[in-house]
Amino acid sequence: MAYNPITRARAKPSGGRGETLVWYLTRLSAVALFVLALSHFSITHFVFDPSEQTAEWIRENRWSSLVWRSFDWLMLMMVLLHSALGMRTVLSDIVTRPRARMLVLSGLYILTIILFVLGSAVVFTLPGMEVAAAR
Amino acid sequence: MSRYLGLAFTYRGGAGSWAYVLHRLSGIGVWLFIVLHVLDIWLVGANAEAYDEILAFYASPAGRVMETLLGAALLYHALNGMRILLIDLWPSLTRWHRQLWWLSWILFFGLGVPGALIILKPIWQGLIPAVAGLVIPGVR
Ligand code: HEM
């Protein structure tokens, strides 16, 4: 696979629409995560302390706001997209036999879909919005 | 195994590109945490008591050391990722790649050390009076 001689990151693929799309989506989601993931880490560790963010606190504070539910759902999608594409590259480098590679990558995609379903379920269904409505 | 070690150390044929080896390792590490983290947040709805137990671990000394390492991996990956993106978008920046490399390390330590101190505060806070008590007689 061609790579950038300075950063050793994947070079933009020439030809092959699918791989070019993967290259762009990795970078697009990376820009989003630079903002979303770094601010999320700062809020959960520097603004608040891990010890205070109990399930009740999440219900009544963070997720009583539609803005933060949307923020967290967008972050979920971006991180699953970015890391699934990234792990696809990593695993394809390690597992080279075609059948084994297909099995391993299928496992990665299934795990990613499960995480997307569970993460979306809790963002959408956790009670707490009525707390905001009552204010 | 030897093939995998070779992959890690002469990744993509380069003469030991540590920046990218670290990018890959930090990406894998953060991904492993994300798998755990989506599941623990799912528990907020499915089993709040179990979530609170996991949270108690995150807030414990061992959990805080883990979060510091997680934060370091995320910050390194984010900064090096930005360096990759900038050079991808504007290849003319290649001229300044050494400066970008040093800039990313300045930001890593400049932001990372204060961040680590905040996360680890409950651990070192207790140490100050203890150490002072050893050094200065009469102080507890
Ligand atoms: C915070 C902002 C982030 C930025 C700016 C960023 C940037 C990047 C870039 C540009 C690449 C592509 C490298 C290439 O094409 O060779 C990459 C790869 C990767 N990223 Fe990220 N990323 C970020 C966050 C994350 C997060 C949160 C995770 C994990 C959940 C992650 C996991 C990965 C993985 C596994 C790879 C593949 C590494 C490889 O091919 O060796 N990244 N990242």
Side-chain angles (χ1 to χ4, degrees), chain A residues 9-10 27 30 33-34 79 82-83 86, chain B residues 20 23-24 34 77-78:
Chain A
R10 282 186 78 173
R27 276 146 186 79
L33 286 173
F34 194 84
V79 81
H82 183 88
S83 58
Chain B
Y20 203 86
H23 193 78
R24 173 157 284 195
I34 296 293
H77 188 93

Side-chain angles (χ1 to χ4, degrees), chain B residues 36-117:
Chain B
L36 170 71
H37 189 42
V38 173
L39 293 174
D40 70 53
I41 291 300
W42 172 67
L43 286 176
V44 171
N47 186 340
E49 290 77 33
Y51 169 80
D52 285 347
E53 267 169 43
I54 296 174
L55 182 76
F57 169 72
Y58 288 155
S60 73
R64 285 173 193 273
V65 171
M66 190 202 84
E67 277 149 56
T68 306
L69 294 174
L70 169 72
L74 178 67
L75 184 59
Y76 174 81
H77 188 93
L79 291 170
N80 192 60
M82 266 300 150
R83 198 178 63 98
I84 293 174
L85 287 172
L86 288 174
I87 292 177
D88 278 343
L89 280 176
W90 295 286
S92 59
L93 279 177
T94 302
R95 264 184 70 203
W96 303 103
H97 77 267
R98 251 174 253 283
Q99 283 80 357
L100 283 173
W101 168 245
W102 287 115
L103 179 66
S104 70
W105 283 110
I106 292 170
L107 289 172
F108 179 80
F109 286 105
L111 299 171
V113 171
L117 286 176

Side-chain angles (χ1 to χ4, degrees), chain A residues 115-128:
Chain A
L115 292 175
F116 176 70
V117 170
L118 295 181
S120 302
V122 68
V123 175
F124 281 103
T125 64
L126 191 79

Side-chain angles (χ1 to χ4, degrees), chain A residues 5-44:
Chain A
I6 299 292
T7 61
R8 313 260 162 201
R10 282 186 78 173
K12 186 175 161 185
S14 48
R17 280 239 185 114
E19 289 305 315
T20 309
L21 184 66
V22 165
W23 190 90
Y24 273 113
L25 286 177
T26 305
R27 276 146 186 79
L28 187 75
S29 53
V31 175
L33 286 173
F34 194 84
V35 178
L36 298 170
L38 290 181
S39 59
H40 172 72
F41 191 90
S42 303
I43 292 167
T44 51

